[in-house]
């Protein structure tokens, strides 16, 4: 099949949805206040202080506990990586442990989504996110990517074509795009991966203040990509 305007419009619509599906603000989780303690309980605990040998043993136990807590505090464990699988069972990818699965959220916007993830922390009311959609196959991938970048940037947007990346043996051309989304400047990178007659469009989006720091997340995810079909 040759590249068509219809297929480009489909990919372009998917990239826009990829931003909008995860950009909106979420309600803040309520913070639970610690339970109040009664003065009677405090007075009772104070009146039962250990003495003599019991006091020495208690002090030693407290010091041991404090030492263990200090060691645990000084050496925070890195969160485990988040491994996600596509809903069509064709591939898996790995994201940072601080991220979360957002596939269901993205699928609420478009059924073309096969995988999505986002940073658990919002910055400037925006979640850095990645959305992978399944699109119609196109014959000349490089030409289609160039045309999509030009179409999506429009007259006022900026885009830059990228050297193809390797995705588990497949060549993935792409581009970066800067545009305004919901009153925020969003940096977006797309990679198009053709595999077994199916096109997967990877859309990585980050607000301007996070774009540079977030970029390695996409590189690492693409490097972790493993076909499972």
């Amino acid at each position: 099949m040759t590249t068509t305007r219809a297929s480009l419009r489909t990919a372009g619509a998917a990239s826009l949805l990829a931003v909008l599906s995860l950009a909106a603000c979420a309600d803040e989780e309520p913070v639970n206040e610690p339970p109040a303690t009664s003065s009677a309980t405090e007075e009772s605990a104070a009146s039962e202080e250990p003495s003599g040998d019991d006091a020495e043993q208690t002090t030693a136990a407290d010091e041991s506990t404090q030492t263990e807590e200090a060691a645990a505090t000084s050496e925070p464990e890195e969160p485990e990586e988040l491994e996600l699988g596509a809903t069509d069972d064709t591939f898996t990818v790995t994201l940072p442990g601080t991220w979360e699965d957002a596939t269901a959220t993205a699928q609420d916007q478009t059924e073309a989504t096969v995988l999505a993830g986002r940073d658990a922390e919002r910055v400037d009311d925006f979640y850095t996110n990645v959305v992978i959609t399944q699109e119609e196959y196109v014959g000349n991938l490089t030409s289609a990517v160039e045309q999509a970048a030009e179409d999506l940037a429009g007259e006022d947007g900026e885009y830059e074509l990228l050297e193809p990346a390797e995705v588990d043996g497949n060549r993935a051309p792409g581009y970066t795009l800067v545009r305004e989304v919901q009153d925020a400047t969003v940096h977006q990178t797309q990679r198009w991966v053709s595999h077994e007659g199916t096109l997967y469009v990877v859309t990585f989006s980050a607000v301007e203040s996070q774009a540079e720091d977030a970029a390695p997340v996409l590189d690492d995810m693409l490097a972790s990509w493993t076909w499972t079909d």
Side-chain angles (χ1 to χ4, degrees):
M1 179 186 298
T2 59
T3 303
T4 65
R5 299 298 298 179
S7 65
L8 293 177
R9 284 196 297 270
T10 300
S15 67
L16 177 60
L17 287 168
V19 177
L20 298 182
S21 62
L22 302 179
C25 300
D27 294 334
E28 297 291 343
E29 293 291 335
V31 178
N32 295 325
E33 295 293 336
T37 55
S38 66
S39 57
T41 301
E42 294 173 352
E43 292 174 358
S44 175
S47 66
E48 295 178 1
E49 294 182 355
S51 60
D53 294 339
D54 290 341
E56 293 179 0
Q57 293 174 0
T58 300
T59 301
D62 289 342
E63 291 177 350
S64 177
T65 300
Q66 292 173 359
T67 300
E68 293 174 357
E69 291 177 347
T73 303
S74 62
E75 298 179 3
E77 295 183 1
E78 290 292 330
E80 294 183 2
E81 292 181 322
L82 174 67
E83 183 173 314
L84 298 177
T87 56
D88 64 352
D89 298 323
T90 55
F91 64 89
T92 62
V93 296
T94 300
L95 291 168
T98 54
W99 281 45
E100 59 190 16
D101 187 352
T103 304
T105 302
Q107 285 180 330
D108 287 342
Q109 297 291 325
T110 173
E111 294 180 355
T113 300
V114 295
L115 187 149
R118 72 180 185 185
D119 195 332
E121 182 179 353
R122 280 182 298 161
V123 176
D124 297 336
D125 291 332
F126 191 91
Y127 291 103
T128 299
N129 68 84
V130 61
V131 177
I132 303 175
T133 56
Q134 186 182 94
E135 307 291 345
E136 295 179 23
Y137 175 77
V138 294
N140 189 330
L141 200 58
T142 300
S143 176
V145 166
E146 293 177 358
Q147 187 63 57
E150 183 178 340
D151 289 348
L152 290 173
E155 294 181 359
D156 300 326
E158 303 174 18
Y159 75 91
E160 177 184 354
L161 296 175
L162 303 173
E163 290 295 323
E166 182 177 340
V167 178
D168 195 18
N170 293 79
R171 181 174 172 274
Y175 61 89
T176 59
L177 180 71
V178 179
R179 59 182 175 180
E180 296 298 314
V181 177
Q182 297 180 349
D183 298 325
T185 301
V186 174
H187 290 239
Q188 187 175 50
T189 300
Q190 275 201 346
R191 290 287 184 181
W192 292 28
V193 189
S194 183
H195 178 72
E196 300 294 337
T198 301
L199 173 64
Y200 294 95
V201 177
V202 180
T203 306
F204 187 86
S205 306
V207 73
E208 187 169 42
S209 62
Q210 296 296 301
E212 184 174 351
D213 291 339
V217 174
L218 176 60
D219 294 336
D220 291 343
M221 190 205 75
L222 294 176
S224 75
W225 191 302
T226 303
W227 298 110
T228 56
D229 58 347

